[in-house]
Amino acid sequence: MSEPIDKLSVPALVAEIKHGDTVAMGEIVKRYSNKVYNLAFHLTRDASAAEEIMQEVFLTVISKIHTLTNEAYFATWLYRVTTNAAYGFLRKEKKFAEQTSVDDMNHEQSVTYDWSTLPDDVLLSEESRAMLRDSIDTLPDTMRTVVIMKDVEGLKNEDIAQALGLSVPAVKSRLHRGRLILREILSDYFRKYSDPSGEGK
Amino acid sequence: MNCRICSKLLQEYLENTISEELINDLNRHLQDCERCRIFFKTYSLTITLSRKVETPCCVSPEKIEHLTSLLYERLFSK
């Protein structure tokens, strides 16, 4: 390798690992361990499970790295293995909630209260962030995973689709429905600030 | 443009994947329809707030090193 290890692209690192380069493996672990841990933690809400999953995921992908025919798909493969491991943990823990149908949800039925004008100290308070985090946890699983991957972790629709084995339109649809639910919850939560008496609803 | 179409286009609008003509139609509708305007603003803000949801603490350098050693022992040292 002529380039420094930290400047190498992911496909180049993966190619090096296939040739038995353990330095390249260390670099991949360094680049992706936080991403894998965060995704696993967001999906399981369990720090020790997230750590175990992170270990299991890297053991799986590095041991099977030769099966990856297109090195460019390493990250989406990694995310897929991570979500599968997290689902496995949740199944074991029986936290796998039954899916709730929200197909008939319609934002036009919701009451309109413009909480977007609230000051940042209210919108970004510790309490409101904790409430939103808990609300994401209560989303039906198919939506929760997509919302976490897209809106919390900032992945692209195409990468999420690849990782979860979904079409891009399916990702968008789940994302939209998840966001609609969260918006409703936030609207209810922030409504207490709409009461001029300050007494809430 | 009506409210239902407006709500369906919102996601594409935020991802910047609709034509300029549709964007102009949407903006005209948003100017006239307070309900959609509020919906649009609160929907966008929901995304912004989700981005601020606490990310778990970083994996420590020690844990990264431990993981790397474990991978080396299990997969590379024969």
Side-chain angles (χ1 to χ4, degrees):
Chain A
M1 279 184 282
S2 53
E3 272 193 277
I5 194 84
D6 59 346
K7 298 277 185 274
L8 281 183
S9 68
V10 171
L13 287 170
V14 172
E16 292 299 329
I17 299 171
K18 283 181 178 177
H19 290 111
D21 185 335
T22 55
V23 179
M25 181 196 71
E27 178 63 20
I28 279 283
V29 172
K30 206 164 101 188
R31 284 192 204 179
Y32 284 101
S33 52
N34 273 320
K35 293 182 198 306
V36 169
Y37 177 86
N38 286 351
L39 181 57
F41 180 83
H42 279 304
L43 291 173
T44 62
R45 307 303 304 173
D46 184 316
S48 63
E51 243 182 87
E52 270 180 46
I53 288 168
M54 178 178 72
Q55 186 170 306
E56 185 188 323
V57 164
F58 279 106
L59 276 166
T60 303
V61 297
I62 301 295
S63 67
K64 294 183 178 169
I65 199 107
H66 292 93
T67 65
L68 184 66
T69 47
N70 185 341
E71 282 90 1
Y73 288 122
F74 176 78
T76 55
W77 181 42
L78 189 70
Y79 295 131
R80 186 166 63 240
V81 176
T82 306
T83 49
N84 285 344
Y87 290 163
F89 168 82
L90 292 171
R91 263 194 299 272
K92 269 194 272 175
E93 293 289 304
K94 295 186 179 152
K95 286 183 188 168
F96 223 54
E98 287 298 310
Q99 304 303 295
T100 312
S101 171
V102 288
D103 286 345
D104 53 357
M105 194 166 48
N106 179 0
H107 89 273
E108 287 160 35
Q109 293 165 354
S110 67
V111 184
T112 51
Y113 159 52
D114 188 5
W115 47 272
S116 70
T117 54
L118 289 171
D120 275 5
D121 60 341
V122 170
L123 292 172
L124 298 172
S125 71
E126 186 58 42
E127 185 187 291
S128 65
R129 282 187 298 148
M131 193 280 303
L132 178 56
R133 194 178 55 224
D134 292 345
S135 304
I136 292 173
D137 286 350
T138 65
L139 287 176
D141 186 69
T142 48
M143 289 176 217
R144 184 165 54 101
T145 308
V146 173
V147 167
I148 288 169
M149 293 176 97
K150 172 77 177 185
D151 289 346
V152 180
E153 293 296 327
L155 302 178
K156 290 180 189 159
N157 290 339
E158 292 73 16
D159 289 343
I160 299 168
Q162 277 275 344
L164 299 179
L166 296 169
S167 66
V168 171
V171 167
K172 285 183 177 177
S173 159
R174 289 168 191 214
L175 184 62
H176 185 56
R177 288 188 291 151
R179 286 168 172 172
L180 288 177
I181 294 175
L182 294 176
R183 192 196 75 97
E184 291 291 316
I185 295 171
L186 286 170
S187 296
D188 280 347
Y189 172 77
F190 287 124
R191 191 173 304 282
K192 61 186 174 190
Y193 297 101
S194 71
D195 182 353
S197 71
E199 291 171 5
K201 52 180 177 177
Chain B
M1 177 78 60
N2 60 33
C3 297
R4 186 161 282 279
I5 295 174
C6 174
S7 100
K8 284 193 187 306
L9 284 176
L10 176 60
Q11 195 179 13
E12 303 298 337
Y13 178 90
L14 290 172
E15 300 233 353
N16 211 8
T17 53
I18 54 172
S19 69
E20 203 165 317
E21 194 186 346
L22 270 177
I23 291 175
N24 291 335
D25 283 353
L26 195 62
N27 281 331
R28 267 196 297 276
H29 178 78
L30 289 173
Q31 260 178 353
D32 297 338
C33 177
E34 190 192 15
R35 201 177 181 84
C36 282
R37 201 162 55 239
I38 291 174
F39 176 73
F40 182 91
K41 286 199 284 181
T42 51
Y43 182 96
S44 309
L45 193 53
T46 299
I47 300 169
T48 307
L49 294 182
S50 296
R51 298 232 157 96
K52 312 250 183 223
V53 163
E54 216 169 282
T55 307
C57 188
C58 295
V59 180
S60 67
E62 291 76 25
K63 282 192 176 149
I64 292 175
E65 199 166 314
H66 172 76
L67 176 58
T68 310
S69 308
L70 181 87
L71 291 169
Y72 179 78
E73 277 167 30
R74 297 253 189 106
L75 307 175
F76 289 89
S77 66
K78 300 281 177 197

